[in-house]
Amino acid sequence: MSPNPLLDGIRVLDLSRLLPGPFATLYLAQLGAEVIKIEEPDGGDYARTAPELFEQVNRGKKSVTLDLRKADDVAQFKRLVAE
């Protein structure tokens, strides 16, 4: 159980790349949701160019790299959605 049980048991898949998305999902993670950040293999979130910012807005999240142009990665994404 998370420190804040309000959204405990809720999974959020974060495919955002611009700052408002990671901020929004950061708040959801702080409220107890399981947030999984999904990034492309080549670059991912633009905030990675500023590592301190990236760490701040993505703390408390899990991370996975998927190329959604590949069938195997799409299948893995669908499994994450189904859980």
Side-chain angles (χ1 to χ4, degrees):
M1 188 146 135
S2 65
N4 187 336
L6 187 62
L7 297 179
D8 193 43
I10 302 294
R11 173 179 281 175
V12 176
L13 301 179
D14 179 0
L15 287 89
S16 62
R17 294 179 59 147
L18 300 174
L19 204 49
F23 267 121
T25 56
L26 171 63
Y27 294 134
L28 295 174
Q30 290 173 336
L31 290 172
E34 174 193 25
V35 178
I36 303 174
K37 180 153 188 73
I38 299 172
E39 296 183 80
E40 295 178 348
D42 296 322
D45 190 321
Y46 299 130
R48 285 197 177 273
T49 60
E52 293 162 356
L53 173 63
F54 182 84
E55 290 296 323
Q56 284 295 314
V57 297
N58 290 294
R59 65 184 182 273
K61 300 176 188 178
K62 297 176 181 178
S63 181
V64 66
T65 301
L66 295 175
D67 185 343
L68 296 178
R69 294 168 291 209
K70 295 183 178 178
D72 289 345
D73 287 4
V74 170
Q76 185 177 351
F77 177 75
K78 288 180 179 180
R79 285 191 295 275
L80 289 170
V81 171
E83 291 179 15

